[in-house]
Every structure is written in C-alpha cells, then in structure tokens.
Amino acid sequence: QVQLVESGGGLVQAGGSLRLSCAASGRTFSRFAMGWFRQAPRNEREFVAGISDSGATIYYADSVKGRFTISRGNAKNTVYLQMNSLKPEDTAVYYCAATPGVGVPTRPTEYAYWGQGTQVTVSS
C-alpha cells in the first residue's frame, strides 16, 4: 500500500512559478513509476508528466514541455513538479500518482495509487 500526499499548490499570476511536491509512504518508493496528472472543471483527467522508478525515463505532455520539470528524490520518497511560465490554462487540480513496474505510464487507468490533489490557480 502506498499513500501519496501532494502539497505546494496555490494562486499565482500568469508567468509565475510553483513547485508541487508529493510525499509517498512505504519503503518501496524507488520501485514505483510516478506521474502528475491534472483535471480542470468539466475536463477529463490528463497526463502532465511522468518519471520512471530510476528516474532515467521522463515524459511530458506537449502542453507543458519546456515549462514543467518532474524530478524525484528516492531518498526522501518525494516526487516534484516544478512549474514555470504558468498560464491560465494550467489551472486545475493536480494529482500525484504511483504505480509499480517499469516504464512511464501516461493513462490514469495505469496508475494504482493516487493522492488527494492540490489546487493550482493561475490568474491572467
């Protein structure tokens, strides 16, 4: 069982930055692929970024490439999402997700564990 707790969301002006953190419980964090997803009102949950268990493989959604950076600190059981040059369309609830295995899944159904989400609001 893995429990995930996100933090770092908030209100920021367009062009600003936020850093999301996701703290994971359990001793097998280093064996899990981690992902960040987001969901805006009336939209489906969408993939934002993902990182493999070793950190060697990283994927980003096209909409955030060059602006967001995912990283993980296995010693701290934490995954991060650095978000720069934020836009109003980045406004959503951001979720951290984890799943055991290799690779970097990009679909929500491929993740076994989810955090409760943290709100990110970007004002224009």
Side-chain angles (χ1 to χ4, degrees), residues 1-7 21-25 34-37 39 45 79 93-99 111-118:
Q1 188 72 14
V2 174
Q3 291 185 330
L4 305 172
V5 179
E6 302 98 334
S7 61
S21 298
C22 173
S25 65
M34 303 296 296
W36 286 98
F37 290 76
Q39 188 166 17
R45 192 167 297 189
V79 63
V93 177
Y94 283 70
Y95 296 91
C96 174
T99 197
Y111 283 82
Y113 304 100
W114 291 86
Q116 82 288 350
T118 186

Side-chain angles (χ1 to χ4, degrees), residues 49-119:
I51 187 168
S52 62
D53 55 353
S54 67
T57 303
I58 291 175
Y59 292 152
Y60 294 101
D62 288 342
S63 59
V64 307
K65 280 181 182 177
R67 301 188 298 122
F68 290 11
T69 302
I70 188 172
S71 61
R72 66 188 296 160
N74 284 348
K76 295 183 178 180
N77 281 14
T78 303
V79 63
Y80 306 96
L81 185 68
Q82 178 67 43
M83 305 186 295
N84 298 329
S85 302
L86 283 161
K87 305 175 182 180
E89 51 263 44
D90 294 317
T91 295
V93 177
Y94 283 70
Y95 296 91
C96 174
T99 197
V102 299
V104 182
T106 60
R107 293 179 296 182
T109 54
E110 296 177 290
Y111 283 82
Y113 304 100
W114 291 86
Q116 82 288 350
T118 186
Q119 177 70 46

